[in-house]
Amino acid sequence: MARALELARRGVALTHPNPAVGAVIVKSGRVVGEGFHVFDRREHAEVVALKAAGGHARGSTLYTTLEPCCHSGRTGPCTRAIIDAGVKRVVVAMKDPNPLVSGKGMARLRRAAVQLVTGIRAAEAWRLNEDFSWWINHRRPFVTLKTALTLDGQIAEKSGSVTWITSQESRDQVQRLRHAADALITGVGTILADDPRMTDRTELPRRRPLLRAIVDTHLRTPPDSEIVRSAKDDLVVFTAEPLDSPKAKALVRCGIEVVRVRPRDRRVDLGEMLDELGRREILNAILEAGAQSERAQAGPAAEAHALDPVGGGLGGGRAHCPHSSAIPT
């Protein structure tokens, strides 16, 4: 199962909106086939492994990080391929959270007299597809709050300052997080304060560009900002302003998508924004913003997975943020 999980991780940034899955086929103590899922190749990990094993699959054990599917979609059911190949035993890390499958795939294998073992390294498998599990049931992205803290819980020395409190190692980790994400969410205050690009700079392969989303209630995003000038159909601005307003038209002329959502308490309705991202098959998103944005957005995200690289200094005083005016405007 360790090898199957290792294979599944190769699908990071290549499988969504499908889950990341790895599979290994073993016979007589020897690996005879293995594979992992990549969305654009269509075939699920189990089928890739079965094809690699060929006739050796008969009487073998198949290890898979996710319950085999039992329905037809872009591909046929994996359960049928497993049964037809004569696999004797299937070891499953976790049940598929997709209601179309959830338990039904394993039941189908049992009816065909295939031996089943479940729950092996389930926690690791769950973490690998925590975003898929959330999205498939709630149709909203799983949101990771990325923030850096000093030892006394501050994120900057004082309001309006930009303070490096993280190491190069933690900044490299942020890039790896961005690579695994479908979208990055920030507030317009961050754009005005830092003029960032907010891109995935790992240069690792990904199926879809990282979608950059700005929460900008009153459309203050400058058309000449770095994030706008670097956009290549990968930037969307969520606002409460009318789409026929001069500011909206100026951004559209720059090739930027502007989406109007209902205001709530005079701000962009963040729940409605997350619903829209979910409709776009955004399974996970990183929230990178200032303190007010973090507090405002974490609640509507409904699921915040806090990953906090902690710096080694002391900030002192109250918690401050260089982008404290991000939301509201």
Side-chain angles (χ1 to χ4, degrees), residues 127-238:
R127 283 195 297 272
L128 185 62
N129 283 304
E130 196 170 13
D131 48 11
F132 173 78
S133 300
W134 179 259
W135 176 79
I136 198 67
N137 285 287
H138 301 277
R139 296 296 170 176
R140 282 185 173 186
F142 182 86
V143 177
T144 297
L145 170 62
K146 190 280 294 180
T147 188
L149 302 174
T150 59
L151 291 177
D152 57 348
Q154 316 305 310
I155 65 175
E157 289 184 355
K158 60 182 179 179
S159 181
S161 72
V162 177
T163 310
W164 285 107
I165 59 175
T166 56
S167 65
Q168 185 59 50
E169 182 180 359
S170 62
R171 291 193 286 275
D172 290 343
Q173 174 65 5
V174 167
Q175 287 301 316
R176 290 191 288 271
L177 289 172
R178 287 183 181 180
H179 176 68
D182 294 331
L184 190 154
I185 303 170
T186 193
V188 67
T190 299
I191 305 303
L192 294 174
D194 293 346
D195 195 22
R197 284 181 298 157
M198 303 193 112
T199 55
D200 171 10
R201 296 190 285 279
T202 63
E203 298 184 355
L204 295 172
R206 58 183 305 135
R207 178 176 170 260
R208 303 182 292 187
L210 175 68
L211 180 67
R212 298 172 291 172
I214 304 173
V215 181
D216 186 356
T217 302
H218 300 300
L219 288 180
R220 297 194 296 148
T221 299
D224 62 348
S225 59
E226 281 285 344
I227 198 166
V228 170
R229 288 191 288 116
S230 64
K232 296 179 180 178
D233 297 321
D234 60 355
L235 178 62
V236 57
V237 176
F238 289 94

Side-chain angles (χ1 to χ4, degrees), residues 76-113:
C78 289
T79 50
R80 170 49 56 192
I82 292 168
I83 294 166
D84 288 348
V87 173
K88 181 180 179 180
R89 181 169 171 260
V90 175
V91 181
V92 178
M94 66 172 281
K95 184 165 68 172
D96 194 330
N98 184 347
L100 288 175
V101 180
S102 193
K104 301 181 183 70
M106 291 187 288
R108 177 68 187 92
L109 293 174
R110 287 193 182 97
R111 289 197 300 271

Side-chain angles (χ1 to χ4, degrees), residues 285-304:
I286 298 176
L287 171 59
E288 293 191 34
Q292 287 192 7
S293 292
E294 290 173 358
R295 287 193 296 269
Q297 296 184 52
E303 186 77 7

